[in-house]
Amino acid sequence: GGEGRPPLARRAAMLEAMLRRGGLDARRVWPNLRLVSCWTHAGARRFVPALRAALPHSRIQGKGLMSTEAMVSIPLTAARHPVLAVTSAFFEFRDARGGLHLAHELARGGEYAVIVTTPGGLYRYDTGDIVRVRGFWRALPQLEFMGRADLVSDMCGEKLSESFVLRCLRDAPGFFLVVPVAEPSPRYALVLDAAETDAHEAARLAQRLERALRANPHYAHARDMGQLGRLEAWRVRAPLERLRALAGKAARGAATHKTPVLSTREDWHILLRAWREA
């Protein structure tokens, strides 16, 4: 039945029937979808497995690194990772010791801050982005965006950066967010989705993160001195949706909201603690 109805009506009926049965079948809804272009690095990495599972018939292509100031890297079909957009600007890369390198001087596996000089007039502008060299394609570095250099949490001198936290939880599945907790005593909380992680797994991930964070000598010193308490695991029901709803009340709206893996917001821990589950 339904063949006599207009195409849009038939499609609406199909979608309604799918939703009644519990969810959309992406292969039926978008049978010709071959490529999905989206963010796949840094904080977006944790959502890629779910996207692949939802769209098993489509290729997921990372966008590379695009900023207001410059196009830093672009995806190419022939390259495994986004390639430096060498013609869009003049690039310099600063290593952890402050040394500057040109594109041909980068080392595989090295992490660098991106500095650009652009045709629009920016001169040696530090974008605040950290990239990791994943290899080379025709002598051009393939770059993975690791996070923002300026996103740093520092309650007791521990200086945790977004890129460092990402490395510590690189293979963790699903949603996670590390938030500073100032009351009643300084410590950090690992926020997880209660629908994805049970209490046992949450405790295991928190222990793993606590051990990994100690690779930062400033964090280890703060813990050993008793300035920071032990990291806790907080399971929250639908944390991403709740944080998006908060962003929707802001002037820029939810469409531009990006949930980091490390928060420096002083109010989020209050809200997340109120939403946490046992």
Side-chain angles (χ1 to χ4, degrees):
E3 285 74 8
R5 289 183 289 179
L8 287 180
R10 291 200 301 271
R11 185 170 178 82
M14 178 188 73
L15 295 175
E16 185 178 358
M18 286 184 185
L19 292 173
R20 282 201 303 267
R21 291 194 296 268
L24 297 178
D25 182 346
R27 284 170 289 195
R28 289 187 61 195
V29 177
W30 301 292
N32 298 319
L33 182 62
R34 294 292 177 262
L35 180 72
V36 176
S37 176
C38 61
W39 308 115
T40 59
H41 290 168
R45 174 187 294 277
R46 53 197 159 157
F47 304 115
V48 173
L51 184 61
R52 291 190 191 281
L55 301 170
H57 62 306
S58 306
R59 178 186 174 191
I60 309 300
Q61 183 187 69
K63 284 184 176 294
L65 176 54
M66 294 182 284
S67 63
T68 304
E69 298 80 19
M71 176 75 74
V72 179
S73 66
I74 56 175
L76 296 178
T77 303
R80 185 174 182 182
H81 303 283
V83 172
L84 178 67
V86 68
T87 60
S88 69
F90 179 79
F91 293 95
E92 297 172 86
F93 300 87
R94 187 180 65 246
D95 62 31
R97 297 183 177 182
L100 293 175
H101 309 266
L102 299 180
H104 69 283
E105 299 171 326
L106 300 184
R108 184 188 298 267
E111 292 191 9
Y112 304 90
V114 180
I115 299 170
V116 299
T117 297
T118 72
L122 288 177
Y123 179 72
R124 306 194 78 184
Y125 178 82
D126 188 336
T127 65
D129 295 323
I130 301 296
V131 296
R132 182 183 186 189
V133 179
R134 296 300 303 272
F136 296 86
W137 181 83
R138 296 187 179 180
L140 293 177
Q142 298 182 65
L143 303 176
E144 177 183 1
F145 173 54
M146 299 301 293
R148 296 284 300 171
D150 55 1
L151 184 52
V152 176
S153 179
D154 189 3
M155 291 188 289
C156 305
E158 68 278 8
K159 297 180 177 62
L160 294 185
S161 67
E162 180 184 35
S163 59
F164 175 65
V165 171
L166 273 168
R167 287 197 300 273
C168 292
L169 286 171
R170 185 176 180 85
D171 300 323
F175 175 90
F176 61 85
L177 173 67
V178 176
V179 296
V181 182
E183 303 167 348
S185 60
R187 63 195 183 282
Y188 284 88
L190 172 61
V191 180
L192 300 161
D193 192 329
E196 298 174 344
T197 312
D198 60 24
H200 176 75
E201 178 66 8
R204 189 189 70 80
L205 286 171
Q207 291 174 358
R208 170 185 161 189
L209 178 57
E210 172 72 15
R211 290 193 300 269
L213 289 178
R214 281 184 166 271
N216 177 340
H218 304 293
Y219 181 86
H221 178 73
R223 286 284 292 114
D224 293 340
M225 293 291 292
Q227 296 171 320
L228 281 177
R230 179 182 294 276
L231 181 139
E232 301 176 348
W234 290 4
R235 297 172 60 250
V236 173
R237 183 68 59 180
L240 183 59
E241 289 76 7
R242 291 177 185 271
L243 293 174
R244 280 178 177 167
L246 290 176
K249 299 177 182 178
R252 296 181 65 191
T256 57
H257 174 65
K258 296 180 181 178
T259 303
V261 298
L262 173 66
S263 172
T264 57
R265 292 278 301 266
E266 296 181 355
D267 56 338
W268 275 11
H269 79 275
I270 300 174
L271 298 169
L272 290 164
R273 179 192 282 127
W275 296 332
R276 65 184 293 197
E277 298 189 359

